[in-house]
Amino acid sequence: MRRDTFLRSMAALAAAGALPLSARASTNLKMMIPANPGGGWDTTGRALGKALQEAGVAASVSYDNKGGAAGAIGLAQFVNGSKGDPNALMVMGAVMLGGLITGKPPVSLSQATPLARLTSEYNVFVLPANSPFKTMKDVVEQMKKDPGSIKWGGGSRGSTEHIAAAMIAREVGVDPAKINYVAFRGGGEATAAILGGNVSVGGSGYSEFAEYINTGKMRALAVTSDKRLKGIDVPTLKEQGINVVIGNWRGVYGAPGINAEQRKALTEMILKAAKTKSWAESLEKNGWTPALMSGPEFDKFVDDEFASLRAVMAKSGMI
């Protein structure tokens, strides 16, 4: 084949989005982060973007933060504005599922294209450093006296920390409908509220609060894992007589309407990114547990998670 004919063929393939990954390393990806800066989705999205570039499958990654309603506002923008775009990605996770169950927005996650689960993580509940409470037992005793006097702060309504707070209330004999939960649009806002003493108890993924716990600006009360987290000296809720275990996970979706080949290409890009040094460093730095899953297995996982969360939330009086 003549060189000019070959180059024209390559250009046509590139325009059609049919080039193999090795030939599409000049891809410019767009990452929807359906939360304000400073939280888990923001950190995950930017870490993934860096890894995609290190893997050589993306020339650049641009980010669009759109917080609110447990990710539903960002999801709506993604669904309505990225149809058929093979270069669009959106970070999501368990928090979004919970928010969609409670909020019932006009768009559905099923309109977007599932690609992969990335990480799993458990929540930690913390106190401001100057809190009059010292333990989870103190918090529970006060909540039993006056449920509304304990102000729980965390992510959007339906987030895993919101669900966990409702589950704690139910387990200790308090009506979950009476808990005083303050939802924030992003991890940065929640962190500021906790540090400022504007909430009684804060909840989030451990990685988001780790530096403040380590420097004594927050006091860790409990983690929502079944067993203590490796290398972290914080008791579980179960250890403290509260039978509550709930995990968080994060993943990534593609745009609505992309074809099977485009979905496969994006998935392969993510799998390559997950093998990079920068991604390994992000896992270590943030205390994320790698939980890579893609294809039909991930599709089924999301469906099962929707059903499981809906059942837990119904039992806890949230829906």
Side-chain angles (χ1 to χ4, degrees):
M1 182 185 290
R2 287 176 50 187
R3 184 173 183 274
D4 59 343
T5 303
F6 172 76
L7 290 175
R8 284 199 299 273
S9 298
M10 290 290 282
L13 285 170
L19 284 179
L21 290 180
S22 59
R24 294 175 64 203
S26 61
T27 300
N28 299 307
L29 296 175
K30 292 166 282 187
M31 184 87 68
M32 164 59 70
I33 300 175
N36 288 354
W41 282 348
D42 187 57
T43 306
T44 301
R46 292 174 191 274
L48 178 60
K50 181 180 178 183
L52 286 162
Q53 290 175 282
E54 185 182 303
V57 295
S60 68
V61 182
S62 59
Y63 306 94
D64 185 7
N65 286 84
K66 189 68 63 175
I73 294 174
L75 172 63
Q77 180 173 311
F78 185 72
V79 165
N80 294 323
S82 301
K83 292 177 183 176
D85 187 344
N87 298 324
L89 298 172
M90 179 188 71
V91 181
M92 50 73 69
V95 171
M96 180 175 283
L97 271 58
L100 292 174
I101 292 168
T102 58
K104 300 177 178 62
V107 293
S108 167
L109 184 60
S110 63
Q111 292 173 261
T113 306
L115 298 176
R117 186 181 69 181
L118 299 171
T119 63
S120 66
E121 185 179 27
Y122 287 99
N123 290 108
V124 63
F125 283 108
V126 299
L127 297 170
N130 61 353
S131 172
F133 305 115
K134 303 299 179 187
T135 65
M136 182 59 80
K137 182 181 178 182
D138 295 340
V139 172
V140 167
E141 287 179 354
Q142 179 59 34
M143 187 167 62
K144 286 180 176 179
K145 294 176 186 175
D146 181 4
S149 67
I150 297 296
K151 190 182 291 185
W152 301 82
S156 302
R157 290 187 59 80
S159 64
T160 49
E161 54 267 30
H162 184 195
I163 297 170
M167 291 171 73
I168 290 169
R170 176 173 57 89
E171 283 295 315
V172 302
V174 172
D175 182 355
K178 293 183 178 179
I179 66 169
N180 183 0
Y181 185 82
V182 182
F184 294 95
R185 291 165 63 92
E189 292 179 13
T191 297
I194 297 161
L195 292 174
N198 297 319
V199 295
S200 311
V201 184
S204 189
Y206 189 88
S207 63
E208 294 182 44
F209 291 159
E211 66 174 290
Y212 303 104
I213 293 169
N214 294 336
T215 56
K217 294 179 180 178
M218 294 180 184
R219 187 183 310 126
L221 291 178
V223 289
T224 63
S225 52
D226 187 51
K227 299 177 180 177
R228 287 202 183 199
L229 301 177
K230 185 179 178 181
I232 297 172
D233 186 27
V234 179
T236 66
L237 286 165
K238 287 183 71 175
E239 279 181 66
Q240 301 176 70
I242 304 170
N243 188 27
V244 170
V245 176
I246 184 170
N248 194 4
W249 58 269
R250 299 188 183 108
V252 60
Y253 267 54
I258 60 173
N259 62 40
E261 282 302 310
Q262 291 167 334
R263 178 183 181 182
K264 181 181 177 183
L266 284 173
T267 301
E268 289 177 358
M269 292 167 76
I270 292 163
L271 297 179
K272 281 194 173 187
K275 295 178 181 177
T276 62
K277 181 180 178 182
S278 71
W279 184 251
E281 289 173 347
S282 294
L283 293 174
E284 178 70 22
K285 177 184 177 182
N286 295 294
W288 297 333
T289 300
L292 202 59
M293 179 189 290
S294 61
E297 186 182 11
F298 180 52
D299 297 356
K300 182 179 185 302
F301 171 80
V302 173
D303 289 342
D304 291 346
E305 279 287 286
F306 258 121
S308 176
L309 281 174
R310 188 174 283 107
V312 168
M313 293 165 80
K315 190 175 181 181
S316 299
M318 295 178 64
I319 55 175

